Amino acid sequence: MENSSPMKGKSGAMQILAKETAIYGLSSIIGKFLNWLLVPLYTYVLAQQADYGIVTNLYAWTALLLVILTYGMETGFFRFANDAETNPTTVYRTAMASVGTTSLLFALLCWIFRGTIAALLGYADHQEFVGLLAIVVAMDAFACIPFSFLRYQKKAIRFAVLKLLFVILNIALNIFFLVLCPRWQGSVLIDSWYDPGYGVGYVFVANILATGIQTLCLLPEVLAGGRTEHNFSWDLLKRMLRYSLPLLVLGVCGIMNQTLDRILFPFLYPGDDAQAQLGIYGACFKVAMVMMMFTQAFRYAYEPFVFAKQKEKDALGAYADAMKYYVYFSYLIMLGMVVYLDLLKYLIAPSYWDGLRVVPVVLWTYIFQGIYFNLSFWYKLTDKTQWGAWFSFLGMLITLGLQVVLVPKYGYMASAASSLVCYFVIMILSYVVGRRYLAIPYDMKRIAAATAVCLLVLAVYYALGGMNTWLRMAAGTGLIMVYTGAVWMMNRSVISSRGR
């Protein structure tokens, strides 16, 4: 009985993680999928590819700014909320006050200097784009703390509902501004305010309206615990900042590894069609978002799970299992995306199809990124977050260097390849260094075997390139079944022992 109890505990932990991943995953997948449907809307409705290039470029900037404005306080919140020496409500109120203050200052400064900022970014004729997105980023940064509080309280359903509310509102407003209003022109109600020439600007108008409504819906969480003795603490804030600020460096470098390609592309690509090329790259990049949906859903559930689990005896085994199953499922998703890409390409307009060759590269990048996220907990659990900053900084240098050298010659393929190389290198380094500080018993034999099978399946599928499209997809489906069967066989003994 004593020998079986750790196995049962680990199995139970995996079931809890799977349940929460399913809830977060359902909302994330549905939300991302619905948001994904904006890609065909934009590619088919916006006047030109350069318009989608503007969307791609500015949203890359907002992703970077969001990381800066939260400065690691999400992870800091989980770290100190699970500390027996601190009150969770005090941690929450302190984090929210800090992030709320800095977000408000950011929004005010960007609004005052929006003309100068817009000129520097190449959008001097549309400085309102900068003003609108600055307010959106500020609200999103502030909302990160209440959303973290919901995760901490295990209120996954409310978290999911509020996330989906934003997505539904954003989609509805985009359809209203970009599809319905042009058709309803001639109506006094529409013509009195609608400008058909504003085009892509309505994408940002829809965003600020949807974000504002979502923020209002978070008021119950914002006010939670406000009338207790457990409020803001300067001493706690100092401790949280000491822990979180290294994560800011990590986060900034990390998000730059993800977005630097779309931020720098207009400045590096020599052609006059830089924005159009960026639009093609951005649209095809979105096709690969299924992998990002899975990684994000896993992250939402896994981060609080790790910190809550760290004091239990079977924690390291649970972390190892989580890594293994993440790898298995990410490979399965990647194979499905590659095999059915001939169907998925219809999500975007045919004028964008030339960029589909980046999809497999982006998928592998997302896989390496997810594995790196799993590995990153060794330095978060041991409070050695400076290592994460060093890894991310190195990755940023790799990304930046490769893009500066290769993008002028090879265009967006170099942008995709630079991110792939970056995450592969820091993934390997994190694993090697992490073994010295926290020896998590990763099942490298099974992970390596699954990787070999996945690569073999891909090689066979690409060898069928000259085959009829439908026959090739049918053969690809069979190959996916081969991979699934091989993984099941590898783990049959483990599954059987747990069943007993």
Side-chain angles (χ1 to χ4, degrees), residues 62 112 147 242 257 262 271 308 318 331 363 370 385 413 425 434 458-459:
T62 61
I112 293 169
F147 273 122
R242 279 196 298 269
N257 292 337
R262 283 151 283 167
Y331 285 170
L363 288 171
T385 50
M413 283 302 296
V425 171
L458 283 174

Side-chain angles (χ1 to χ4, degrees), residues 190-255:
I190 298 298
D191 290 349
S192 61
W193 61 270
Y194 184 74
D195 178 8
Y198 196 53
V200 69
Y202 286 116
V203 172
F204 309 121
V205 173
N207 195 339
I208 195 171
L209 291 174
T211 303
I213 294 171
Q214 182 194 57
T215 303
L216 288 174
C217 291
L218 281 168
L219 278 177
E221 282 68 41
V222 172
L223 300 174
R227 293 175 180 166
T228 72
E229 68 277 14
H230 303 295
N231 276 308
F232 179 84
S233 167
W234 278 108
D235 290 337
L236 176 60
L237 177 61
K238 293 174 184 177
R239 292 168 56 202
M240 293 181 72
L241 289 175
R242 279 196 298 269
Y243 177 84
S244 298
L245 286 180
L247 295 178
L248 170 60
V249 179
L250 183 156
V252 168
C253 295
I255 198 65

Side-chain angles (χ1 to χ4, degrees), residues 58-59 61-62 65-66 69 99-100 102-114 117 127-144 166 204-216:
L58 288 180
Y59 278 126
W61 278 107
T62 61
L65 290 170
L66 183 60
L69 288 177
V99 174
T102 51
S103 297
L104 179 60
L105 289 174
F106 168 81
L108 289 173
L109 289 172
C110 285
W111 185 262
I112 293 169
F113 298 106
R114 63 188 182 278
I117 298 170
Q127 59 181 268
E128 74 279 8
F129 291 177
V130 171
L132 289 172
L133 286 180
I135 296 172
V136 167
V137 172
M139 287 192 290
D140 280 341
F142 175 70
C144 281
F166 165 78
F204 309 121
V205 173
N207 195 339
I208 195 171
L209 291 174
T211 303
I213 294 171
Q214 182 194 57
T215 303
L216 288 174

Side-chain angles (χ1 to χ4, degrees), residues 382-393:
T382 58
D383 288 351
K384 297 184 181 299
T385 50
Q386 67 272 16
W387 277 104
W390 282 114
F391 293 146
S392 293
F393 183 70

Side-chain angles (χ1 to χ4, degrees), residues 231-379:
N231 276 308
F232 179 84
S233 167
W234 278 108
D235 290 337
L236 176 60
L237 177 61
K238 293 174 184 177
R239 292 168 56 202
M240 293 181 72
L241 289 175
R242 279 196 298 269
Y243 177 84
S244 298
L245 286 180
L247 295 178
L248 170 60
V249 179
L250 183 156
V252 168
C253 295
I255 198 65
M256 288 183 74
N257 292 337
Q258 298 176 41
T259 60
L260 205 57
D261 52 351
R262 283 151 283 167
I263 288 174
L264 292 181
F265 192 87
F267 302 102
L268 295 176
Y269 191 73
D272 295 332
D273 62 338
Q275 286 288 9
Q277 290 293 304
L278 179 58
I280 293 172
Y281 175 52
C284 293
F285 197 96
K286 289 284 189 179
V287 173
M289 273 187 62
V290 168
M291 186 65 70
M292 189 268 285
M293 296 178 204
F294 171 66
T295 301
Q296 187 70 23
F298 182 85
R299 177 183 175 179
Y300 279 140
Y302 193 51
E303 191 166 35
F305 167 83
V306 167
F307 286 110
K309 187 76 176 171
Q310 61 179 314
K311 297 178 182 178
E312 298 182 19
K313 293 182 179 180
D314 64 333
L316 297 184
Y319 301 157
D321 278 355
M323 167 70 87
K324 181 174 64 176
Y325 290 112
Y326 172 82
V327 171
Y328 291 163
F329 282 103
S330 63
Y331 285 170
L332 182 62
I333 293 169
M334 185 268 295
L335 291 173
M337 292 287 293
V338 170
V339 167
Y340 302 115
L341 189 57
D342 283 321
L343 294 179
L344 293 172
K345 68 182 182 182
Y346 290 100
L347 282 167
I348 57 178
S351 58
Y352 291 78
W353 288 357
D354 183 60
L356 288 171
R357 54 208 166 116
V358 306
V359 172
V361 180
V362 175
L363 288 171
W364 276 108
T365 302
Y366 277 137
I367 290 174
F368 294 153
Q369 181 183 337
I371 294 173
Y372 175 69
F373 170 77
N374 274 273
L375 293 169
S376 70
F377 279 98
W378 70 260
Y379 56 75

Side-chain angles (χ1 to χ4, degrees), residues 19-35 143 146-169 214 217-218 221 296-297 300-301:
K19 180 181 177 180
E20 291 192 3
T21 301
I23 296 174
Y24 290 122
L26 183 62
S27 64
S28 179
I29 290 172
I30 292 175
K32 296 291 184 184
F33 176 74
L34 292 174
N35 234 351
F147 273 122
S148 296
F149 192 52
L150 287 173
R151 290 162 60 195
Y152 172 77
Q153 293 181 311
K154 305 293 185 182
K155 294 183 178 180
I157 294 178
R158 177 162 172 77
F159 179 99
V161 168
L162 291 178
K163 287 290 185 179
L164 285 175
L165 173 66
F166 165 78
V167 173
I168 293 170
L169 286 172
Q214 182 194 57
C217 291
L218 281 168
E221 282 68 41
Q296 187 70 23
Y300 279 140

